[in-house]
Amino acid sequence: CGKKMVGCRAVSSGKRVYDYTYYKCRDNVAGAEQCAVKTIRKDFVEGLVKSYIQGIVGSQKAIDEVCKSINKLIDKECKTGSVESNALKREERSLNRKMENLLSLVEDGAISDVIRERIKKLHIRLVQISERLIELQDIDKPKLDPARIYEAVKIWNDAEDEETVKAMFQTFVSDVRVFPDRVEVDLFLDVNGRKYSIKQEKEKRPV
């Protein structure tokens, strides 16, 4: 059904010994049984995801497409940040002029509670603008270099041991959706502390 699944484990040491690890739709937890996919083996679904990710990390073309998608998101953020930054700088210049006029009145002896309050509000707003401008500077990030990303991730192309596969999943997998006839995998990359997700649209992996 595409909803989140939870990991489960069934262990028995009786006449029939088994240790069975699987995923189960959260709608089927506690006997609800609302999802058509009752359970799915952990090794089966994770094997599909592993093969899919390894198909990407081992392909320069696939990495190019991933980087292209993320670079578009970075471009959009930078453009949005530039528009906001310019607007804030204009407001900052206007508020500084108002502040100078008020301080001139104070120097001339024209001080009152109204003027003090206006100076206080202007100061608070100027601090807010300054802090936001610093935040917007961090948005102007360099784009991903597909060649460097490929060199960094291709080591996972032949990953087999559990810890390495786990690290690969944590690095690339944003979301996995299981349906009766397919598994869909969304990707993400962490770029300077900012996580960029790539939604899978048309390409699907059959179960």
Side-chain angles (χ1 to χ4, degrees):
C1 66
K3 293 183 179 178
K4 291 187 179 298
M5 303 189 84
V6 294
C8 302
R9 186 182 182 191
V11 181
S12 174
S13 58
K15 292 182 179 180
R16 184 186 173 194
V17 179
Y18 59 82
D19 188 343
Y20 181 51
T21 307
Y22 58 93
Y23 287 104
K24 189 174 185 178
C25 177
R26 65 180 181 183
D27 280 355
N28 286 351
V29 176
E33 302 299 331
Q34 298 178 15
C35 179
V37 179
K38 302 303 181 182
T39 62
I40 184 169
R41 297 195 317 273
K42 175 180 181 290
D43 58 347
F44 177 70
V45 67
E46 290 186 1
L48 287 175
V49 176
K50 181 171 78 73
S51 297
Y52 176 48
I53 299 300
Q54 287 182 332
I56 292 176
V57 300
S59 167
Q60 179 69 67
K61 182 179 179 181
I63 291 296
D64 287 347
E65 290 299 315
V66 169
C67 291
K68 181 179 178 182
S69 298
I70 293 178
N71 283 335
K72 284 183 179 179
L73 296 174
I74 293 175
D75 276 341
K76 185 176 180 180
E77 283 187 349
C78 289
K79 289 178 181 178
T80 302
S82 295
V83 172
E84 183 182 356
S85 178
N86 290 334
L88 288 173
K89 287 176 181 178
R90 287 194 296 271
E91 183 183 358
E92 186 179 43
R93 288 194 294 270
S94 175
L95 294 180
N96 278 326
R97 287 194 295 270
K98 291 179 180 180
M99 180 70 82
E100 290 175 1
N101 291 335
L102 289 173
L103 292 176
S104 295
L105 291 175
V106 171
E107 290 176 355
D108 293 338
I111 185 67
S112 67
D113 291 340
V114 174
I115 291 178
R116 289 193 185 94
E117 186 62 25
R118 289 180 63 186
I119 290 175
K120 180 180 177 180
K121 288 182 178 179
L122 284 173
H123 175 72
I124 292 173
R125 179 54 184 159
L126 284 168
V127 170
Q128 292 173 343
I129 291 174
S130 178
E131 291 175 348
R132 180 56 181 160
L133 287 172
I134 292 173
E135 291 176 357
L136 290 173
Q137 288 176 358
D138 294 334
I139 293 178
D140 189 16
K141 298 174 181 176
K143 293 184 180 180
L144 296 179
D145 182 345
R148 293 182 62 186
I149 296 296
Y150 175 66
E151 287 298 319
V153 302
K154 70 179 183 179
I155 59 172
W156 280 310
N157 190 32
D158 299 318
E160 292 296 338
D161 65 278
E162 187 173 342
E163 287 302 315
T164 304
V165 171
K166 181 179 178 181
M168 183 174 67
F169 284 1
Q170 292 175 337
T171 302
F172 289 108
V173 179
S174 170
D175 196 18
V176 178
R177 295 179 297 279
V178 180
F179 297 88
D181 61 339
R182 67 190 187 278
V183 173
E184 298 178 357
V185 182
D186 292 339
L187 308 176
F188 86 93
L189 274 180
D190 190 316
V191 183
N192 297 324
R194 167 75 162 89
K195 290 185 177 181
Y196 293 91
S197 296
I198 306 170
K199 290 289 183 182
Q200 188 183 72
E201 297 176 353
K202 297 181 180 179
E203 188 175 10
K204 298 168 183 176
R205 302 295 172 199
V207 175

